[in-house]
Amino acid sequence: MKSAVIVFPGSNCDRDMATALEQIGGTPPAMVWHGDHDLPDGLDLIALPGGFSYGDYLRSGAMAAQSPVMREVVRAATRGVKVLGVCNGFQILTEAGLLPGALMRNAGLKFVCRDVRLRVENAATAYSSGYAAGQEIRVPVAHHDGNYFADDALLERLEGNGQVVFRYLDNPNGSRHDIAGIINEAGNVLGMMPHPERLIEPIQGGTDGRPLFESVLATGR
Amino acid sequence: MSANATQITPQVVAEHGLTTEEYDVILQSLGREPNITELGIFSVMWSEHCSFKTSRVHLKKLPTQAPWVIQGPGENAGVIDIGDGDAAIFKMESHNHPSYIEPYQGAATGVGGILRDVFTMGARPVANMNALRFGAPDHPKMRHLISGVVAGIGGYGNCVGVPTVGGEVNFHPAYNGNILVNAMTVGLARTDKIFYSAAAGLGNPVVYVGSKTGRDGIHGATMASAEFTEDSEEKRPTVQVGDPFTEKLLIEACLELMASDAIVAIQDMGAAGLTSSSVEMASKGGVGLELDLDKVPCREEGMVPYEMMLSESQERMLMILKPGREAFAEAIFHKWGLDFAVIGTITDTGRLVLKFKGETAADIPLGPLGDNAPMYERPWVPTPKRAALPADQVAEPNDYGAALLRLIGSPDMASRRWIWEQYDHMVMADTIQRPGGDAAVVRVHGTSKALAISTDCTPRYCFADPVEGGKQAIAEVWRNITAVGARPLAVTDCMNFGNPQRPEIMGQFVGCIEGMAEACSALDFPVVSGNVSLYNETNGTGILPTPAIGGVGLLDDWDRMATIAFKAEGETVVLVGETLGHLGQSLYLREILGREDGPPPPVDLVAERRAGDLVRQQILGGGLSAVHDLSDGGLAGALVEMALAGKIGAVIEVPGDVEHPHAWLFGEDQGRYLVTTTEPLALLGAAQEAGVPAQVIGRTAGDRVVIGTLADVALADLELAHEEWLPGLMA
């Protein structure tokens, strides 16, 4: 399994993501600077970490989506390489057009950091096969702009295709249909607001984030 | 027009906060009249904030040494050795005045400033804490101030990606016109990669990095050294504006450069900006500096030397590089999109010389600027001791259950969840004890070690008796750190007081220092860094004396960490430490009876240490399942907090020999812990051997808190009372 974590100016969960990938997968990911024009060869997984890329100025994820390296990420995603976006990474994926919909300011208007309960809606993806369908898990969120919006037609399509992978049981941000994470139609690009990389050891308060990484690693290339 | 055209008149001198006597010393130091830039430099360097002119004589009394102290007060932050070549670097600082005027930016830049103090020494910041004091909750401005301060702390800390892991909040009308915002940062470095601020090396380049300089924050340090009046809001333009995104880039760029050997010295530009950083670096190194101000990156057109030297624009650092390493360093800063400018060189003149547009804008001998700085031994009177308040002079509650509910939902005890859920307290994925416990615990990444961090102070105790209050603040932080199983190592202090020119306020300051010094010595808990904030007054009314203490301790093995939550039903609840039933200055007295009376609980430092050492040893030996220190709300308060955290109730019996059950339950005697265990006999035996009173008082059970025949309250009701107060206030 060869993975890379993209580092944007203002990324701040890049090292957490790298730690999770290394602890669970055994090999450290390549850390790729946003200004680079090339990705390492033969990647199986590209992770876009959480944080405040470009200070969240303009719109969360909007500027990062225009970074030189993102053209390569889009190209790799089109080729079928797996791309995981967590929190700010999810925002970047929607801004880059790799995932549909948008993430707006939380309905409560405040930053929210707490554990939330999620239901695994689709356990048949490359990212969720380590969970059981319908399983309830607990993963932390930490964001200001996690309110997922899609119009009715898109929501119908997402639901119909099984593209909603994780759903909030106690919606912290006003997301439509309680959506916490979605996957693209091809099944290789996943975006989610909760942070699975923060819950991989019991001492962190639980290990419900671990199966996500184990799933990706199990599917390999 | 020349940059220094302003005439120096007595009025201009007074506007700079300098007394006639201080101005005379400036005339002697220079041997001539200063120009306006020079006057500005003297005024900020000799402000209370930068010169510690009132506090220095007294701060010297605090113990600062221990075998594990690498750097005590006097640097940007304190440094302690935590073994294996690792060091913890930390400091707490106030941003009170700006936060009252502009709560969001005031609090945000407070966080930014303290982060820089820590990473300038080579540490990666790993935890932020804060100690906040607000006025009466129903004061018309308070909701605005609370929401602004909390959003500002979160907005900055969340963006830079350093977890805000805990803190403390008090409410009291004494802070109505002068809230306190104290921010603390803890960082980690290697002991052989610590960076200091003393400039060295004749001819070495002086380098400016970070954000550009604007006109914001001019005279911030002077503002922080004067009392407030109604028109203080007009000072809003002196509040700095923060950009946490730039700070994040600055952290990464500095740490990247620090991995090399290019840096000789480095200091952040905090209060008094370019002035204090350049003067302090040169003075510490015993060298001179010549700066070419035309090279300072400016955000605005037409800035003059006076403005550049006094600006408190944020996210800037000053460095001395080794010769020839400029290009190497510049590449790193440009990669991170930050300004980089060589603005001067080190000289052997012992003078600070500023050039601007071909002219000399200032020429100050650094020796006199430092050596002649004013130092005052202001008159003080000790705070009169208060008469004892025996339990029989304090009414029992009519209804113990109702009192319990009221206490647990009172402003000083209610849940702070509304606040800490706005802080990212988990980023970096090493937070293993989240907010709500006795101390926050953060792992030393990739090791079995963890740091325990706590901030605390009980201002109502300090007001009633500064000496005992000062002792108590240190003892409680020590106890909080002990209660998670860590070995307390050192503290930083943030001394918030009123106008020191009033002898009774000065007496509070002197008293608190005396108590703190005594406790620090007795507990081997030295002060390694700190900050003094005086003149916390509005229209002549001072705040409660508030020596906020931030402590750091070490857990060698984080697997052994204790938490406050009850773990299982049927475990024995044991009260450790001596209970005398001290109700003076208790929360019970204030919240249930509406009285702020009597002396605060005395601190027996020998007993404190004995009880703490026993509890820590029992935690590390695996004998305890839950541990909580006793403070606000006494035994009853701690019991409810443990039950709520574990979602398990308890049945407690008041011992037969207790004369006053309300004093036993709500008294705030110090040096005590409430613990649970499955092996009570072993614990009682160990306690007896250690000479520490310990008593079985009940067991964990069910979903109610039952106290003999006095109270029987459902956990659900307690939880509602505890959780609903702050969201209700802020709704």
Side-chain angles (χ1 to χ4, degrees):
Chain A
M1 179 73 169
K2 201 169 165 189
S3 63
V5 175
I6 311 289
V7 184
F8 300 96
S11 292
N12 63 30
C13 302
D14 45 329
R15 281 170 298 120
D16 307 356
M17 182 65 84
T19 301
L21 286 169
E22 181 173 359
Q23 270 196 24
I24 298 167
T27 28
M31 304 303 280
V32 179
W33 181 240
H34 76 112
D36 290 354
H37 291 264
D38 299 306
L39 289 169
D41 290 331
L43 286 178
D44 303 302
L45 173 71
I46 300 167
L48 306 188
F52 288 67
S53 58
Y54 294 92
D56 272 0
Y57 297 139
L58 186 58
R59 273 190 322 276
S60 304
M63 302 221 265
Q66 306 302 320
S67 281
V69 77
M70 280 307 291
R71 283 193 286 275
E72 290 307 309
V73 171
V74 171
R75 213 166 284 156
T78 318
R79 282 201 316 270
V81 175
K82 286 189 277 294
V83 180
L84 167 66
V86 170
C87 199
N88 191 226
F90 186 14
Q91 295 159 345
I92 296 169
L93 289 176
T94 60
E95 289 285 346
L98 284 174
L99 287 174
L103 291 146
M104 309 191 302
R105 178 117 308 187
N106 293 347
L109 303 180
K110 289 189 184 64
F111 189 95
V112 177
C113 179
R114 66 160 93 99
D115 284 352
V116 294
R117 292 176 307 134
L118 305 176
R119 190 168 58 227
V120 181
E121 295 288 8
N122 182 349
T125 77
Y127 298 91
S128 56
S129 58
Y131 301 103
Q135 186 182 341
E136 193 182 309
I137 60 173
R138 195 171 47 81
V139 185
V141 293
H143 60 247
H144 212 158
D145 299 318
N147 182 354
Y148 184 75
F149 180 83
D151 63 21
D152 293 345
L154 174 57
L155 283 172
E156 202 175 312
R157 211 163 68 235
L158 291 173
E159 298 284 3
N161 292 341
Q163 286 177 255
V164 177
V165 180
F166 300 107
R167 204 187 301 276
Y168 298 115
L169 291 171
D170 25 23
N171 189 338
N173 53 32
S175 290
R176 291 200 79 190
H177 283 209
D178 302 323
I179 287 173
I182 57 169
I183 198 160
N184 65 346
E185 282 190 54
N188 65 320
V189 179
L190 179 97
M192 63 190 296
M193 288 312 296
H195 287 272
E197 79 280 11
R198 293 188 184 182
L199 230 41
I200 59 168
E201 297 172 65
I203 192 74
Q204 292 167 323
T207 55
D208 281 358
R210 212 177 161 92
L212 183 136
F213 294 99
E214 287 164 349
S215 306
V216 186
L217 294 166
T219 57
R221 53 188 73 214
Chain B
M1 183 184 104
S2 156
N4 284 323
T6 309
Q7 287 298 312
I8 308 299
T9 64
Q11 194 195 342
V12 169
V13 171
E15 279 169 4
H16 281 77
L18 290 161
T19 65
T20 318
E21 295 75 32
E22 287 169 353
Y23 183 67
D24 286 341
V25 180
I26 295 176
L27 292 177
Q28 283 169 26
S29 304
L30 287 176
R32 61 176 165 80
E33 195 176 81
N35 63 38
I36 187 71
T37 304
E38 291 163 342
L39 185 75
I41 290 171
F42 273 98
S43 104
V44 290
M45 288 312 297
W46 288 5
S47 69
E48 191 69 59
H49 189 87
C50 293
S51 72
F52 296 88
K53 58 189 169 192
T54 296
S55 54
R56 252 188 297 167
V57 225
H58 302 287
L59 292 173
K60 282 188 200 145
K61 300 173 196 162
L62 292 169
T64 59
Q65 299 293 321
W68 51 88
V69 174
I70 295 175
Q71 175 66 53
E75 266 292 338
N76 284 298
V79 185
I80 54 172
D81 191 332
I82 57 166
D84 313 310
D86 295 317
I89 302 188
F90 61 97
K91 189 182 178 189
M92 176 153 50
E93 203 162 65
S94 61
H95 231 208
N96 304 333
H97 295 84
S99 300
Y100 185 76
I101 297 173
E102 207 320 276
Y104 185 98
Q105 290 298 342
T109 53
V111 174
I114 196 63
L115 279 164
R116 283 192 297 285
D117 277 334
V118 166
F119 73 74
T120 195
M121 298 200 69
R124 177 172 285 283
V126 297
N128 282 329
M129 299 280 286
N130 51 79
L132 310 177
R133 263 89 198 175
F134 295 110
D138 58 357
H139 184 276
K141 283 194 80 163
M142 222 40 68
R143 293 174 51 199
H144 159 71
L145 292 171
I146 297 166
S147 63
V149 164
V150 171
I153 290 172
Y156 208 98
N158 298 345
C159 182
V160 297
V162 176
T164 303
V165 293
E168 54 158 351
V169 188
N170 287 141
F171 296 87
H172 193 281
Y175 304 103
N176 279 352
N178 202 128
I179 61 170
L180 302 183
V181 175
N182 299 169
M184 173 176 175
T185 294
V186 183
L188 289 169
R190 298 291 295 169
T191 49
D192 58 356
K193 285 297 254 180
I194 293 167
F195 291 81
Y196 297 95
S197 59
L202 188 60
N204 277 356
V206 179
V207 175
Y208 170 119
V209 294
S211 287
K212 293 184 188 343
T213 297
R215 290 191 169 98
D216 51 331
I218 291 175
H219 281 313
T222 316
M223 173 180 78
S225 307
E227 277 185 50
F228 264 14
T229 55
E230 279 96 0
D231 57 6
S232 287
E233 305 239 337
E234 290 170 15
K235 290 185 176 164
R236 186 166 294 145
T238 61
V239 178
Q240 313 85 326
V241 177
D243 177 7
F245 173 57
T246 300
E247 179 102 337
K248 167 70 176 166
L249 303 179
L250 195 56
I251 294 174
E252 299 303 334
C254 286
L255 292 178
E256 194 172 324
L257 181 59
M258 284 165 167
S260 75
D261 62 350
I263 299 175
V264 175
I266 179 166
Q267 172 153 340
D268 73 304
M269 295 192 215
L274 189 50
T275 294
S276 68
S277 54
S278 56
V279 169
E280 285 172 16
M281 290 181 85
S283 301
K284 276 186 192 150
V287 298
L289 281 187
E290 182 169 320
L291 303 183
D292 180 355
L293 296 184
D294 295 307
K295 298 202 171 127
V296 171
C298 286
R299 195 191 300 152
E300 299 172 57
E301 294 273 315
M303 287 186 65
V304 296
Y306 179 86
E307 294 169 319
M308 289 183 213
M309 294 307 290
L310 270 57
S311 163
E312 290 191 5
S313 288
Q314 300 290 290
E315 294 94 24
R316 302 178 299 160
M317 315 281 273
L318 200 63
M319 307 186 298
I320 312 297
L321 290 183
K322 288 187 183 161
R325 303 306 298 274
E326 295 92 326
F328 168 76
E330 185 171 16
I332 291 174
F333 282 86
H334 283 174
K335 170 189 159 191
W336 289 97
L338 297 166
D339 269 297
F340 177 100
V342 177
I343 63 166
T345 48
I346 294 187
T347 66
D348 58 1
T349 61
R351 303 178 80 86
L352 176 68
V353 178
L354 306 178
K355 299 284 188 187
F356 182 65
K357 294 194 191 302
E359 286 178 27
T360 299
D363 184 353
I364 299 174
L366 287 163
L369 182 59
D371 298 344
N372 296 353
M375 180 154 90
Y376 296 119
E377 280 207 52
R378 299 197 190 274
W380 59 278
V381 291
T383 306
K385 293 276 180 194
R386 301 195 177 207
L389 184 65
D392 57 13
Q393 287 175 28
V394 177
E396 271 194 80
N398 298 323
D399 177 339
Y400 275 83
L404 208 52
L405 283 164
R406 181 136 160 218
L407 204 57
I408 200 74
S410 67
D412 277 1
M413 272 205 89
S415 165
R416 273 72 175 108
R417 183 184 305 276
W418 183 90
I419 295 174
W420 51 255
E421 283 194 346
Q422 295 185 55
Y423 303 151
D424 189 339
H425 47 271
M426 297 180 237
V427 63
M428 300 184 93
D430 281 315
T431 307
I432 56 171
Q433 185 145 175
R434 300 182 189 179
D438 277 329
V441 182
V442 175
R443 289 187 297 191
V444 177
H445 191 78
T447 73
S448 65
K449 294 185 292 189
L451 297 177
I453 312 163
S454 166
T455 57
D456 225 310
C457 174
T458 313
R460 62 180 191 277
Y461 293 175
C462 295
F463 182 71
D465 183 337
V467 179
E468 286 303 321
K471 260 194 234 174
Q472 194 272 345
I474 295 286
E476 186 168 351
V477 169
W478 188 86
R479 203 182 308 141
N480 286 335
I481 290 171
T482 295
V484 299
R487 194 166 72 250
L489 290 178
V491 300
T492 178
D493 59 21
C494 197
M495 309 291 290
N496 309 274
F497 290 81
N499 182 346
Q501 297 181 37
R502 293 202 286 135
E504 64 276 21
I505 299 286
M506 203 55 213
Q508 293 174 345
F509 184 79
V510 174
C512 283
I513 296 255
E514 182 189 328
M516 286 166 58
E518 204 183 315
C520 288
S521 298
L523 300 172
D524 281 328
F525 204 27
V527 176
V528 294
S529 58
N531 160 249
V532 178
S533 173
L534 301 174
Y535 298 95
N536 288 290
E537 300 214 3
T538 301
N539 297 325
T541 310
I543 57 163
L544 299 183
T546 312
I549 306 299
V552 173
L554 180 68
L555 267 160
D556 292 318
D557 184 355
W558 46 254
D559 233 10
R560 304 259 155 170
M561 173 182 78
T563 66
I564 70 167
F566 285 154
K567 301 298 182 301
E569 294 195 50
E571 298 194 340
T572 307
V573 179
V574 179
L575 174 61
V576 177
E578 188 171 26
T579 299
L580 296 169
H582 186 102
L583 284 169
Q585 295 301 329
S586 65
L587 216 51
Y588 170 80
L589 194 65
R590 189 177 84 190
E591 296 299 325
I592 309 299
L593 304 178
R595 294 167 63 187
E596 292 186 58
D597 264 351
V603 185
D604 177 340
L605 292 164
V606 174
E608 181 79 54
R609 182 161 188 156
R610 210 182 280 147
D613 288 347
L614 169 76
V615 166
R616 191 180 317 106
Q617 172 212 338
Q618 290 292 309
I619 293 171
L620 299 181
L624 306 180
S625 44
V627 181
H628 195 4
D629 90 299
L630 266 55
S631 54
D632 280 353
L635 166 56
L639 177 70
V640 171
E641 287 174 342
M642 295 175 85
L644 289 177
K647 301 188 194 308
I648 295 171
V651 179
I652 299 299
E653 292 300 333
V654 182
D657 59 347
V658 167
E659 198 181 341
H660 300 287
H662 68 309
W664 186 75
L665 276 172
F666 300 115
E668 296 180 2
D669 307 284
Q670 299 294 298
R672 298 186 301 159
Y673 302 80
L674 203 55
V675 305
T676 57
T677 178
T678 53
E679 292 172 50
L681 290 180
L683 173 60
L684 295 182
Q688 194 174 15
E689 210 165 289
V692 176
Q695 187 172 22
V696 172
I697 61 165
R699 62 190 167 82
T700 56
D703 58 0
R704 307 180 72 81
V705 170
V706 182
I707 301 170
T709 54
L710 298 173
D712 181 353
V713 190
L715 271 188
D717 294 335
L718 290 164
E719 177 162 26
L720 188 66
H722 189 53
E723 292 292 342
E724 76 177 356
W725 180 77
L726 191 50
L729 175 71
M730 300 307 295

